[in-house]
Amino acid sequence: MANAGKTNKNGERPVVEREAKDALSQKILALKKKLNAVILAHNYQIPQIQDIADFVGDSLGLSRQASQTDADVIVFCGVHFMAETAKILNPSKLVILPDEQAGCSLEESCPPDKLKELQDTNRNFYTISYINCSAAVKSLSDVICTSGNAVKVVNAAPKDRDLLFVPDENLGEWVMEKTGKKMTLWKGNCYVHIEFSPDTVRQIKQQHPDAPILVHPECLKSVRILADEVCSTEKMVDYCKQSASKSFIIVTEPGMIHRLKKECPNKEFVSVPGSNGACNECKYMKMNTLEKLLACMENLNPRVELSKEIIEKARAPIEQMLAI
Ligand code: 13P
Ligand code: SF4
């Protein structure tokens, strides 16, 4: 199909392709009912997946949904560590995902053996792990946080311990600024968010002078300092809903724009490109397609499988976070 994936000048897909996608969506919805499944999707998923999901949200919202669902099958449309978190919270349920290769540069940056080596250098470390890490790293942690609750989690940490924050040094640096607490930071980063540059953000602001700038805390400090609000993807939705402004500059992965347009249909959202025109899409989040979603539900595969030991050890710090 020569036209596959192409859109016309209004951003619309050809009718034949749209109808094929609609038919796929219908099949997925019918199968969802048959399996008693729930579809959870992250805010960065492609629009067609967001549109058929039962819940679309940030990492914190998705963990909460995963901890509360009574479905038999959890279909997780996000990246691998998110599906793992759902499995840790629901060991007896089947957790499947469209593409098990959907990783994350933050997760990759922090191998569990290297973390253990660092932890062994200081018995007084209290390890706070950003949820963007593997189940094995979670199992070595005292508490987990997301970008939506990191400040709260760090403020609740025991006063007599040395705080170790892994794996995102930019989120960690922002949390240190907000809490005034000193932490040892792991040197990991999100390959998408560090590509946003202050120059590009300033250029876009010149074109939209009245639009507040919303920045994800995984961005570099040079970009964060330009923000009207630094927040998680879900808090961006809350901010735009409550604000009297009519347009907003969104400095995060562009999947977010679809969610924002649905939540605030009368407002305008400007996505920021990476520096020097670099792609601002997360290649891992975009591995998931409707075709792969249907296939994983038909085959009940790929599925998340974790050892009992890892599940037990990783569950405590996640529950600690949910309690906070
Ligand atoms: P949120 O928790 O804000 O959705 O962020 C997750 C993520 O992967 C950001 O890159
Ligand atoms: Fe990981 Fe960055 Fe992709 Fe989020 S956007 S999943 S942090 S690589």
Side-chain angles (χ1 to χ4, degrees):
M1 209 170 26
N3 252 337
K6 297 253 167 63
T7 55
N8 67 16
K9 64 179 170 22
N10 298 322
E12 293 157 348
R13 291 184 185 281
V15 174
V16 179
E17 197 186 327
R18 257 197 340 257
E19 283 174 359
K21 295 281 175 199
D22 288 350
L24 264 178
S25 300
Q26 291 313 320
K27 273 193 185 169
I28 291 167
L29 291 173
L31 196 48
K32 180 177 81 111
K33 211 165 165 194
K34 198 168 142 206
L35 295 171
N36 186 28
V38 64
I39 301 179
L40 305 181
H42 188 266
N43 286 323
Y44 297 161
Q45 291 297 286
I46 56 169
Q48 296 99 323
I49 291 185
Q50 290 195 29
D51 290 348
I52 54 166
D54 295 288
F55 179 83
V56 183
D58 67 353
S59 313
L60 180 59
L62 293 169
S63 312
R64 284 208 189 106
Q65 291 293 322
S67 70
Q68 288 160 7
T69 184
D70 53 12
D72 295 320
V73 180
I74 299 176
V75 187
F76 209 108
C77 301
V79 289
H80 190 262
F81 76 81
M82 296 180 174
E84 270 187 348
T85 309
K87 179 69 181 176
I88 294 163
L89 291 167
N90 295 278
S92 62
K93 291 190 195 225
L94 190 57
V95 179
I96 55 175
L97 66 168
D99 191 325
E100 63 186 339
Q101 299 304 319
C104 169
S105 65
L106 279 166
E107 177 184 358
E108 272 166 31
S109 77
C110 190
D113 54 331
K114 293 276 177 284
L115 173 60
K116 183 81 181 55
E117 258 172 42
L118 179 61
Q119 287 174 323
D120 287 345
T121 63
N122 180 353
R123 296 244 159 244
N124 199 38
F125 267 146
Y126 180 82
T127 307
I128 303 167
S129 298
Y130 185 31
I131 198 161
N132 295 37
C133 63
S134 64
V137 164
K138 288 186 177 77
S139 74
L140 294 170
S141 308
D142 291 294
V143 67
I144 304 300
C145 72
T146 72
S147 55
N149 64 13
V151 169
K152 218 171 174 183
V153 168
V154 169
N155 273 328
K159 306 265 177 293
D160 57 345
R161 302 285 296 276
D162 298 327
L163 306 186
L164 169 62
F165 189 92
V166 309
D168 188 351
E169 64 174 333
N170 294 301
L171 175 67
E173 185 186 52
W174 175 69
V175 174
M176 285 207 292
E177 288 160 18
K178 298 285 281 184
T179 60
K181 299 208 178 202
K182 206 184 154 336
M183 303 196 287
T184 300
L185 302 180
W186 190 267
K187 297 249 166 275
N189 57 48
C190 162
Y191 90 100
V192 177
H193 285 88
I194 60 163
E195 277 301 326
F196 294 113
S197 81
D199 288 348
T200 319
V201 175
R202 276 193 211 100
Q203 273 166 22
I204 299 215
K205 179 72 179 175
Q206 272 175 6
Q207 293 154 15
H208 304 269
D210 298 330
I213 301 173
L214 308 189
V215 172
H216 197 277
E218 289 171 8
C219 291
L220 299 171
K221 183 170 183 170
S222 56
V223 172
R224 288 200 314 269
I225 54 172
L226 302 174
D228 292 277
E229 186 75 6
V230 178
C231 58
S232 75
T233 56
E234 198 59 29
K235 288 191 179 163
M236 289 184 181
V237 176
D238 299 339
Y239 184 99
C240 295
K241 275 184 174 169
Q242 281 158 22
S243 167
S245 300
K246 286 281 171 240
S247 59
F248 304 85
I249 297 166
I250 304 297
V251 194
T252 192
E253 211 272 355
M256 197 58 217
I257 305 293
H258 182 69
R259 173 81 201 285
L260 286 165
K261 279 186 179 159
K262 277 178 97 169
E263 299 281 352
C264 312
N266 300 321
K267 298 188 175 181
E268 186 202 0
F269 302 97
V270 185
S271 181
V272 174
S275 58
N276 301 320
C279 175
N280 58 359
E281 285 192 341
C282 173
K283 64 181 175 189
Y284 304 111
M285 287 280 181
K286 295 317 196 240
M287 282 180 177
N288 297 334
T289 60
L290 277 184
E291 287 79 1
K292 288 186 200 171
L293 173 53
L294 177 62
C296 86
M297 292 171 75
E298 282 173 342
N299 305 324
L300 296 179
N301 205 42
R303 56 179 72 179
V304 179
E305 316 240 38
L306 293 168
S307 74
K308 205 164 166 257
E309 191 196 347
I310 288 279
I311 289 183
E312 270 165 23
K313 286 192 183 151
R315 195 182 167 98
I318 299 173
E319 284 180 342
Q320 170 81 355
M321 166 188 84
L322 293 172
I324 293 169

